[in-house]
Amino acid sequence: MKSEYVNSFYKATKDVFNLMLDIDTERGDLKVVEGMVSSKDANVILGVTGDLKGTILFSFPKEMTLEMVKIMSGMPIKKIDNFVSSALGEVANIIGGNALTILNNNDYICDIVPPQIFIGEYKSYSMANERALFLPLKTPIGEFDINIYLKEN
């Protein structure tokens, strides 16, 4: 998997978190994971089609999810409900759209499939027994990760 795939999602995430939440995002150590990928309390899956195809999995802990939506809405949030799920899906959708715009500037023509949101901790997701890149990210409100599984079509 090419570094430009990871870099596009990292830059898009950093930009979106800075603009929407006014918080900085710091990159952890990238690693390769195979097959099954662990998840957190709130998870969003984006499909990618076009010159690249695959899946992007965003995984957030509950407290970070609630704090993100509190910052965006200005309202105290106590539980992950439909409003929170929708907001989280939209954040992932914006990040995905921005990342694909960056990839488009590198001559990849891609589109994203609408997000699927899964609430509740799952022990793992199957990434079709393929390799994915695990990108951990740190912010002042918590740590989350992005699993990137993309290959050229």
Side-chain angles (χ1 to χ4, degrees):
M1 194 174 311
K2 296 182 180 176
S3 63
E4 59 199 1
Y5 305 167
V6 175
N7 292 338
S8 66
F9 278 91
Y10 174 63
K11 181 173 179 2
T13 302
K14 190 170 180 64
D15 291 349
V16 167
F17 270 62
N18 198 329
L19 286 170
M20 291 181 72
L21 304 171
D22 195 27
I23 60 175
D24 196 27
T25 306
E26 189 177 309
R27 185 175 170 164
D29 292 332
L30 190 66
K31 63 182 173 182
V32 176
V33 292
E34 276 195 55
M36 303 303 272
V37 177
S38 295
S39 67
K40 293 183 172 32
D41 301 303
N43 306 282
V44 182
I45 296 176
L46 289 179
V48 177
T49 61
D51 291 343
L52 300 174
K53 67 177 182 177
T55 305
I56 311 299
L57 170 64
F58 297 86
S59 293
F60 300 91
K62 179 181 178 183
E63 294 307 316
M64 181 180 181
T65 302
L66 298 176
E67 186 62 25
M68 284 171 53
V69 178
K70 176 183 169 189
I71 291 168
M72 291 185 324
S73 68
M75 302 182 304
I77 307 291
K78 296 187 189 307
K79 66 178 184 172
I80 299 178
D81 56 13
N82 286 341
F83 175 74
V84 172
S85 296
S86 179
L88 191 62
E90 192 55 35
V91 169
N93 207 28
I94 293 168
I95 292 169
N98 289 355
L100 294 186
T101 298
I102 294 167
L103 286 168
N104 185 46
N105 293 333
N106 289 310
D107 297 323
Y108 292 101
I109 307 300
C110 301
D111 202 0
I112 52 176
V113 176
Q116 296 177 359
I117 299 112
F118 297 92
I119 302 303
E121 189 172 336
Y122 292 82
K123 293 300 174 202
S124 62
Y125 284 104
S126 173
M127 298 298 263
N129 292 324
E130 296 284 349
R131 291 175 153 197
L133 289 175
F134 175 81
L135 175 62
L137 297 161
K138 299 174 187 176
T139 74
I141 62 170
E143 297 181 13
F144 68 105
D145 47 73
I146 304 173
N147 288 278
I148 302 167
Y149 167 67
L150 290 174
K151 63 181 181 179
E152 291 191 27
N153 205 359

